[in-house]
């Protein structure tokens, strides 16, 4: 895997540098490659769980590919200069933000691991207030014309997603009253985001919680389990219903569903197919008109420039990562009753749902509901979210403790 | 309970994930293995392996005349909106993103190839067959036709189908591209427009009849030097007359009941532009047979696709087949007419084309037009011996005044110019005036090109053949073709 990483990195760096004809691009890639190399080296050198190693591979594979493919949009595609100039320059920035999110996730988990029940109970109140405040901000200040929950240029649905995960995780460790408050606040925020025409994040949150409940929850209620199992069936039936009768119905919600998911002018699936057809096994750098390249369909952009072989490697790494992480988190020797395990489980479910749905959306023509592949694209918020979720999944208290001791030792030696 | 089922849960979840990845992967493989559809691509795009998608982000490549002059440019409206459009004199051919060559070839003009165009955001350039020198001369010749109801245009088509000149008296204003409703004829390429071409169609019918001469008896053979031509005939219940039917001096015999006759050979029939001569020969062969054989020979019932337009003659109603042989119902474009003349007098049929080359931003030529005549349509012809070619060479001399004969004495004596005029009557008493000149090479063994000038919907009945010939010759001389 390491050998593949080295060869792959060199090839993509040379390729992008050639096509862009810009030497500074090589420096940017080298920087990105070094950062990713350090992460992979640390993951393999330190005594960490297996899931951390496969997570480092997944992150490296996707971020390096992202840094390679997205800038090529500017030089080889038909996108306008204005459309892609920002896209091309932001990929290194996204890697740095991903690393920031990763460290942030690990620190938050470390902080959570130090909380006792009383403090956790207080934290639930704080989280409830912050979540409701965010819902209030989304309601009042979001840009209604954008079709997403953007407030002052920031896509708040993604930090909102982090808050919703934390609320849900804390809710499983507090008394029933606080539980009601936390889940209520998360629901209000999700509902507000839906009200502001953003469907992807709330849908993914609901799906992730469903997966968590079915596969990770310590106790199961028969009715709730049945509801969780029925939910995908109901969603699929709803989509089929809209597809068949949506044209004859009216209303804002119907229009939103029809325009975003089924409308003919949403040509992303067609463009995805064209893009993949041109990519072949080893990628193409020919003229192409690609779908929403910088966000939801960034995986297609990457696959177009790097080919089907790269795509298959990503899919294998995704499968390996989830297999390892699931096995390690579910198959503990003792039940996971601490808050950090719950957050890790929910984060893993969130990653699973987002990555798998995005793959299905890009490659298998699933309805487009605004779900971006983690570690790719040029959205700062998605980069932070990707790093944060990975940090939560990979958090290992023993590894953090060892690292903390090591840092202390180095500090003492230096002093 | 939780620990007991933990392994199963992990296995189920992993199975689900791997299943999703497999579905996606198989779908991706299937997509990659599928050949992209090229349904939206034009023939030239198909040749260049473009799939009809548009690259909105690139700037347009250049559009050049055959002699390297840019004939399209980015223009800006008073409001600051910019568009890539044809420059003055070329708007009707080059057009803009809404019409003309730029519209028809936008995928080529916007497409780029990263290996050739790494740092530029520019599409391919198209070198057209249009010759700027000839276009300039033709535009100057048309300047006097500033009446908005009269469309005057000149086109020149080479033997291989290359359209050298396609000039019209179209209105030009840069603002027209931003408010097209105020300048309706801006994009109309008159040379590609179907109008009645009158008697200029007769030589095409006669060529077909010559090829079928064995099917006609001796009297109706086109080699018959004394064919009895009547001033008026009745076919399918309609009376068809010669334009000079009432000039008894042109006829030698009074047949009674207002019918006069004269003896003509082919050359005289061409010079008199005798409608009944052509019609009676066609009728002898059979009007339907004539129509079918004309279609077989000239693809009149087919659509010829060029890079920027589609050329096809208007369909002829079965009950008006007797109006076609002498040209009254021959509605076709002047470009197609020129191509058919090249064929009728050269023996090789080449489809007209406008794109000579497609060049990448780095100068690499990715398409070079290599027009080939349609082989199974070719027939052998020697213009020096050909009775029809000689008849049209005689007609050229007959169209000129004595003064013009002196002026063009070299051309007249060399018999290199084959000419045929035409006049089509329109419903509102206006007429279409047409003149076609086919140029042979110096030893008269091959056709070089055919030029056509049309003045559509004019009420000026005094436009002489010599006047139109002089204008065409000026254009041909500017390009040093003659």
């Amino acid at each position: 895997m390491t050998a593949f990483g080295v060869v792959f990195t060199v090839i993509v760096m040379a390729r992008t540098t050639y096509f862009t004809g810009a030497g500074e691009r090589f420096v940017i890639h080298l920087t990105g490659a070094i950062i990713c190399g350090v992460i992979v080296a640390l993951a393999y050198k330190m005594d960490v769980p297996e899931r951390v190693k496969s997570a480092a591979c997944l992150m490296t594979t996707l971020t390096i590919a992202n840094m390679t493919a997205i800038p090529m949009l500017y030089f080889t595609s038909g996108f306008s200069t204005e459309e892609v100039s920002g896209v091309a320059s932001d990929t290194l920035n996204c890697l740095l933000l991903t690393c920031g999110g990763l460290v942030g996730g690990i620190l938050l988990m470390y902080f959570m691991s130090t909380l006792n029940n009383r403090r956790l109970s207080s934290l639930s109140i704080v989280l409830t207030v912050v979540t409701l405040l965010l819902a209030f901000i989304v309601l009042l200040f979001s840009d209604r014309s954008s079709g997403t929950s953007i407030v002052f240029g920031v896509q708040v649905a993604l930090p909102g997603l982090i808050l919703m995960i934390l609320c849900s995780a804390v809710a499983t460790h507090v008394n029933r009253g606080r539980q009601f408050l936390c889940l209520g606040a998360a629901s209000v925020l999700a509902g507000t985001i839906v009200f502001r025409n953003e469907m992807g994040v709330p849908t993914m949150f609901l799906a992730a919680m469903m997966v968590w409940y079915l596969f990770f929850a310590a106790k199961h209620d028969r009715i709730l389990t049945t509801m969780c199992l029925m939910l995908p069936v109901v969603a699929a039936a709803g989509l089929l219903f809209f597809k068949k009768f949506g044209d004859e119905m009216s209303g804002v919600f119907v229009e939103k569903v029809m325009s975003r998911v089924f409308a003919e002018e949403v040509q992303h699936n067609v463009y995805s197919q064209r893009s993949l057809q041109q990519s072949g096994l080893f990628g193409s750098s020919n003229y192409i008109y690609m779908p929403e390249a910088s966000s939801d369909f960034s995986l297609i952009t990457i696959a177009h420039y790097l080919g089907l072989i790269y795509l298959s490697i990503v899919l294998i790494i995704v499968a390996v990562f989830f297999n390892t992480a699931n096995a390690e988190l579910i198959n503990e020797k003792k039940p996971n009753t601490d808050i950090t395990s719950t957050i890790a489980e929910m984060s893993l479910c969130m990653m699973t749902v987002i990555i798998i749905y995005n793959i299905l959306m890009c490659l298998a023509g699933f309805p487009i509901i605004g779900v971006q592949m983690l570690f790719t694209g040029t959205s700062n918020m998605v980069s932070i979210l990707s790093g944060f979720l990975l940090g939560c999944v990979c958090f290992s208290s023993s590894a953090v403790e060892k690292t903390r001791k090591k840092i202390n030792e180095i500090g003492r030696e230096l002093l | 309970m939780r620990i007991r089922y933990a392994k199963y849960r992990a296995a189920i979840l992993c199975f689900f994930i791997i299943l999703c990845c497999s579905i996606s992967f198989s779908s991706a493989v299937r997509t990659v293995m599928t050949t992209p559809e090229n349904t939206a691509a034009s023939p030239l795009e198909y040749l260049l392996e473009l799939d009809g998608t548009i690259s909105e982000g690139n700037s347009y490549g250049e559009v050049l005349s055959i002699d390297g002059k840019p004939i399209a440019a980015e223009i800006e409206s008073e409001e600051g909106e910019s568009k890539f459009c044809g420059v003055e004199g070329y708007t009707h051919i080059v057009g803009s993103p809404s019409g003309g060559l730029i519209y028809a070839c936008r995928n080529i003009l916007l497409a780029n190839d990263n290996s050739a165009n790494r740092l530029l955001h520019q599409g391919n350039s198209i070198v057209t067959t249009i010759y700027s020198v000839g276009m300039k001369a033709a535009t100057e010749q048309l300047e006097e036709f500033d009446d908005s109801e009269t469309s005057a245009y000149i086109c020149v088509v080479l033997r291989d189908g290359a359209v050298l000149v396609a000039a019209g008296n179209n209105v030009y204003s840069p603002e027209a591209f931003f408010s097209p409703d105020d300048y309706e004829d801006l994009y109309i390429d008159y040379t590609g427009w179907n109008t009645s071409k009158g008697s200029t169609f007769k030589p095409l019918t006669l060529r077909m009849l010559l090829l079928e001469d064995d099917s006609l008896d001796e009297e109706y053979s086109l080699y018959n030097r004394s064919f009895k031509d009547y001033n008026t005939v009745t076919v399918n219940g309609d009376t068809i007359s010669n334009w000079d039917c009432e000039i008894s001096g042109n006829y030698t015999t009074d047949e009674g009941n207002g019918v006069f006759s004269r003896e003509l050979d082919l050359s005289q029939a061409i010079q008199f532009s005798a409608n009944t001569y052509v019609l009676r020969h066609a009728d002898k062969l059979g009007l339907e047979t004539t129509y079918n054989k004309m279609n077989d020979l000239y693809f009149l019932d087919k659509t010829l696709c060029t890079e920027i337009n589609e050329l096809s003659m208007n369909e002829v109603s079965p009950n008006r087949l007797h109006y076609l042989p002498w040209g009254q119902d021959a509605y076709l474009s002047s470009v197609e007419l020129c191509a058919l003349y090249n064929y009728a007098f050269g023996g090789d049929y080449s489809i007209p084309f406008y794109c000579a080359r497609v060049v990448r931003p780095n100068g690499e030529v990715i398409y070079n037009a290599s027009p080939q005549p349609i082989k199974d349509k070719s027939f052998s012809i020697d213009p020096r011996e050909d009775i029809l070619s000689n008849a049209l060479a005689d007609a050229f001399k007959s169209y000129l005044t004595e003064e013009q004969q002196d002026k063009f004495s070299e051309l007249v004596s060399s018999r290199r110019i084959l000419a045929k005029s035409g006049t089509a009557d329109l419903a509102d008493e206006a007429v279409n005036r047409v003149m076609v000149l086919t140029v042979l090479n110096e030893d008269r063994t091959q056709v070089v090109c055919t030029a056509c000038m049309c003045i559509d919907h004019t009420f000026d009945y005094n436009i002489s053949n010599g006047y139109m010939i002089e204008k065409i010759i000026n254009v041909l001389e500017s390009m040093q073709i003659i």
Side-chain angles (χ1 to χ4, degrees):
Chain A
M1 195 62 82
T2 309
F4 158 73
V6 171
V7 172
F8 180 74
T9 307
V10 169
I11 289 171
V12 296
M13 282 197 299
R15 191 181 163 101
T16 308
T17 306
Y18 171 74
F19 283 121
T20 58
E24 71 271 16
R25 185 54 51 193
F26 188 82
V27 176
I28 290 172
H29 281 90
L30 196 63
T31 313
I34 289 169
I35 293 170
C36 290
V38 168
I39 291 171
V40 174
L42 280 174
Y44 276 85
K45 196 170 182 188
M46 290 174 68
D47 183 21
V48 289
E50 280 299 310
R51 66 177 184 275
V52 179
K53 293 172 186 171
S54 52
C57 280
L58 176 68
M59 180 185 159
T60 303
T61 313
L62 284 171
T63 48
I64 286 281
N66 193 51
M67 291 182 71
T68 307
I70 300 293
M72 283 174 73
L73 274 175
Y74 174 75
F75 296 95
T76 63
S77 80
F79 283 87
S80 66
T81 310
E82 294 76 23
E83 209 172 350
V84 296
S85 59
V87 168
S89 63
D90 285 347
T91 47
L92 181 63
N93 189 29
C94 285
L95 173 61
L96 297 173
L97 286 171
T98 305
C99 293
L102 186 73
V103 174
I106 290 169
L107 290 177
L108 181 90
M109 291 290 271
Y110 185 68
F111 166 72
M112 296 296 263
S113 68
T114 61
L115 296 179
N116 57 25
N117 282 348
R118 212 172 118 259
R119 285 189 173 181
L120 205 58
S121 189
S122 307
L123 181 68
S124 68
I125 299 294
V126 175
L127 279 173
T128 303
V129 171
V130 172
T131 308
L132 289 175
L133 189 65
L134 187 65
F136 191 65
I137 290 170
V138 170
L139 189 65
L140 288 186
F141 301 109
S142 62
D143 179 6
R144 295 179 193 190
S145 62
S146 71
T148 55
S149 53
I150 292 176
V151 179
F152 307 126
V154 177
Q155 200 163 20
V156 292
L158 296 171
L161 185 61
I162 294 175
L163 274 176
M164 285 189 270
I165 291 171
L166 291 177
C167 280
S168 306
V170 169
T172 59
H173 294 274
V174 290
N175 63 38
R176 193 162 282 273
R178 301 279 164 93
Q179 199 174 47
F180 176 77
L181 281 177
C182 283
L183 291 177
S187 305
V188 168
L189 180 56
T192 312
I193 292 170
V194 170
F195 184 66
R196 280 288 174 258
N197 292 334
E198 172 78 58
M199 293 202 300
V201 166
T203 309
M204 288 303 105
F205 173 69
L206 191 64
M209 288 306 106
M210 191 192 77
V211 173
W212 176 83
Y213 183 77
L214 287 176
F215 292 96
F216 291 89
K219 293 175 186 172
H220 287 97
D221 177 76
R222 194 178 293 270
I223 296 171
L224 210 53
T225 306
T226 311
M227 280 174 68
C228 282
L229 290 170
M230 288 298 291
L231 205 59
V233 179
V234 172
L239 285 172
L240 286 173
F241 177 80
F242 275 119
K243 190 166 188 177
K244 198 167 175 67
F245 302 108
D247 291 335
E248 298 155 16
M249 296 161 70
S250 60
V252 177
F253 181 71
V254 176
E255 281 174 16
K256 168 80 177 169
V257 171
M258 296 309 290
S259 65
R260 290 281 294 191
V261 182
F262 296 120
E264 282 185 14
E265 58 264 30
V266 181
Q267 290 277 342
H268 297 307
N269 286 334
V270 177
Y271 292 145
S272 298
Q273 283 200 348
R274 282 186 183 173
S275 186
L276 279 177
Q277 279 168 348
Q278 290 201 355
S279 71
L281 287 178
F282 302 101
S284 163
S285 41
N286 284 334
Y287 153 78
I288 183 69
Y289 193 75
M290 273 181 288
E292 204 172 12
S294 60
S295 55
D296 294 1
F297 284 83
S298 48
L299 183 66
I300 290 292
T301 308
I302 295 169
H304 173 75
Y305 287 116
L306 302 180
L308 198 60
I309 287 184
Y310 166 77
L311 194 64
S312 58
I313 288 168
V314 168
L315 294 178
I316 290 168
I317 293 174
V318 164
V320 168
F321 167 67
F322 286 126
N323 179 40
T324 322
N326 284 328
E328 284 184 2
L329 288 178
I330 295 178
N331 204 16
E332 294 282 355
K333 291 275 193 283
K334 56 179 181 180
N336 296 329
T337 52
D338 58 305
I339 181 71
T340 53
S341 298
T342 309
I343 295 174
E345 290 164 358
M346 287 185 174
S347 299
L348 180 67
C349 291
M350 186 55 69
M351 285 184 77
T352 309
V353 168
I354 290 176
I355 291 178
I356 294 298
Y357 193 83
N358 185 267
I359 289 171
L360 289 168
M361 191 176 83
C362 289
L363 303 180
F366 271 47
I368 302 159
I369 55 169
V371 179
Q372 185 175 335
M373 175 57 94
L374 299 175
F375 308 107
T376 64
T378 55
S379 163
N380 293 344
M381 280 300 159
V382 172
S383 301
I384 294 171
L385 177 74
S386 307
F388 180 84
L389 293 177
L390 197 69
C392 293
V393 172
C394 294
F395 173 76
S396 159
S397 54
S398 59
V400 171
E401 201 58 42
K402 277 180 196 169
T403 310
R404 195 176 66 81
K405 282 179 186 169
K406 189 97 176 165
I407 291 170
N408 283 344
E409 280 173 23
I410 294 169
R412 258 185 248 119
E413 281 174 19
L414 286 174
L415 289 169
Chain B
M1 170 100 170
R2 179 183 154 78
I3 296 167
R4 205 167 120 202
Y5 291 113
K7 275 187 180 175
Y8 297 107
R9 284 196 216 161
I12 291 168
L13 187 54
C14 290
F15 173 76
F16 172 72
I17 291 163
I18 290 166
L19 182 70
C20 288
C21 287
S22 305
I23 291 170
S24 305
F25 185 68
S26 64
S27 176
V29 170
R30 204 167 53 243
T31 306
V32 170
M33 297 305 169
T34 311
T35 311
E37 289 178 16
N38 280 314
T39 48
S42 71
L44 185 54
E45 286 166 7
Y46 186 81
L47 205 65
L48 293 170
E49 295 181 350
L50 297 174
D51 68 351
T53 49
I54 305 168
S55 174
E56 301 285 0
N58 293 331
S59 58
Y60 283 91
E62 286 186 299
V63 181
L64 303 164
S65 64
I66 192 76
D67 49 332
K69 185 184 170 191
I71 56 175
E74 201 77 37
I75 63 166
E76 204 168 278
S77 71
E78 289 168 358
E79 285 78 34
E81 188 189 350
S82 70
K83 270 188 180 179
F84 187 66
C85 306
V87 299
E88 187 170 2
Y90 299 88
T91 50
H92 55 291
I93 293 289
V94 177
S96 74
S98 320
L101 183 143
I102 292 177
Y103 173 75
C105 298
R106 64 197 184 286
N107 295 332
I108 297 165
L109 288 166
L110 287 170
N112 70 353
D113 180 275
N114 64 297
S115 60
N117 186 20
R118 291 190 302 141
L119 301 175
L120 295 171
H121 243 351
Q122 188 185 326
N124 300 310
S125 295
I126 290 179
V127 180
T128 64
T129 56
I130 301 293
Y131 190 15
S132 70
V133 177
M135 282 293 278
K136 187 175 175 234
T139 308
E140 282 169 6
Q141 297 301 317
L142 298 171
E143 266 173 6
E144 64 193 80
F145 300 97
D146 52 1
D147 173 14
S148 62
E149 289 194 9
T150 301
S151 315
Y153 46 99
I154 295 174
C155 72
V156 179
V157 181
L158 283 180
R159 184 179 70 234
D160 65 0
V163 181
L164 283 187
V165 174
N169 66 335
N170 304 56
V171 175
Y172 174 77
S173 165
E175 279 304 308
F177 290 111
F178 301 98
S179 52
D181 293 342
D182 300 338
Y183 301 85
E184 285 177 359
D185 71 343
L186 182 76
Y187 296 136
I188 295 176
D189 170 21
Y190 294 128
T191 62
W193 227 20
N194 283 5
T195 54
S196 175
K197 294 294 185 282
S199 296
T200 53
F201 192 75
K202 282 175 187 156
L204 303 178
T205 308
L206 293 169
R207 172 60 68 206
M208 185 279 296
L209 290 169
L210 270 174
L211 293 172
E212 298 294 327
D213 203 62
D214 293 344
S215 311
L216 299 166
D217 58 32
E218 199 174 328
E219 185 194 350
Y220 278 86
S221 164
L222 293 183
Y223 296 97
N224 180 3
R225 289 180 166 275
S226 52
F227 180 78
K228 194 169 187 180
D229 179 47
Y230 296 106
N231 66 336
T232 182
V233 293
T234 302
V235 178
N236 289 354
D238 289 332
T239 302
I240 312 290
S241 304
N242 288 332
W243 67 271
D244 60 350
C245 63
E246 290 178 0
I247 306 172
S248 56
N250 283 358
Y251 296 86
T252 53
T253 311
D254 184 352
E255 304 282 346
N257 296 327
V259 178
F260 300 94
S261 67
R262 59 191 170 191
E263 289 187 349
L264 295 177
D265 63 10
L266 180 63
S267 176
Q268 289 165 322
I270 290 285
Q271 288 171 54
F272 279 120
S273 197
N275 299 332
T276 55
Y277 178 94
V278 182
L279 176 58
R280 283 175 62 211
H281 279 84
D283 195 28
K284 186 71 180 170
L285 187 67
L287 290 174
E288 200 172 331
T289 309
T290 300
Y291 180 59
N292 292 336
K293 288 194 177 293
M294 292 287 280
N295 282 338
D296 287 345
L297 188 63
Y298 300 121
F299 299 115
L300 295 178
D301 55 345
K302 303 279 189 307
T303 300
L304 307 178
C305 292
T306 76
E307 301 89 340
I308 67 170
N309 54 23
E310 290 180 348
L311 306 171
S312 64
M313 196 182 85
N314 287 13
E315 199 175 337
V316 181
S317 164
N319 58 0
R320 285 186 66 89
L321 289 180
H322 49 296
Y323 284 95
L324 178 68
W326 50 284
Q328 179 61 30
D329 275 14
Y331 285 82
L332 71 168
S333 66
S334 55
V335 168
E336 188 175 5
L337 184 67
C338 287
L340 293 177
Y341 262 68
N342 285 334
Y343 175 44
F345 296 98
D348 288 327
Y349 189 30
S350 297
I351 295 171
F353 65 98
Y354 295 82
C355 291
R357 282 190 295 278
V358 177
V359 186
R360 280 182 175 160
N362 64 351
E364 184 191 351
V365 178
I366 54 172
Y367 167 78
N368 215 340
S370 54
Q372 299 293 327
I374 300 171
K375 278 181 186 170
D376 58 353
K377 286 290 169 190
S378 293
F379 57 86
S380 174
I381 183 171
D382 182 351
R384 290 171 299 188
E385 307 295 330
D386 176 44
I387 183 174
L388 189 58
S389 303
N390 284 309
L392 264 68
D394 294 338
F396 172 65
K397 186 180 176 184
S398 73
Y399 291 151
L400 301 175
T401 60
E402 283 186 12
E403 196 181 323
Q404 285 174 322
Q405 284 184 23
D406 290 340
K407 188 177 176 183
F408 302 122
S409 58
E410 202 180 322
L411 286 175
V412 172
S413 61
S414 69
R415 297 178 67 79
R416 285 178 59 202
I417 308 292
L418 317 181
K420 183 71 191 84
S421 70
T423 304
D425 296 325
L426 304 179
D428 56 356
E429 295 190 348
V431 291
N432 290 346
R433 290 286 285 116
V434 190
M435 175 59 68
V436 182
L437 297 190
T438 295
V439 182
L440 304 178
N441 62 356
E442 286 184 3
D443 56 3
R444 297 187 75 232
T445 53
Q446 243 179 5
V447 167
V448 175
C449 68
T450 295
C452 174
M453 179 177 179
C454 302
I455 305 165
D456 286 353
H457 200 266
T458 178
F459 292 93
D460 183 357
Y461 306 115
N462 296 321
I463 296 172
S464 69
N465 292 330
Y467 168 82
M468 294 175 79
I469 286 174
E470 202 160 334
K471 284 190 173 297
I472 297 175
I473 286 181
N474 287 340
V475 175
L476 295 173
E477 279 180 340
S478 73
M479 296 186 287
Q480 298 181 334
I481 290 176
I482 52 176

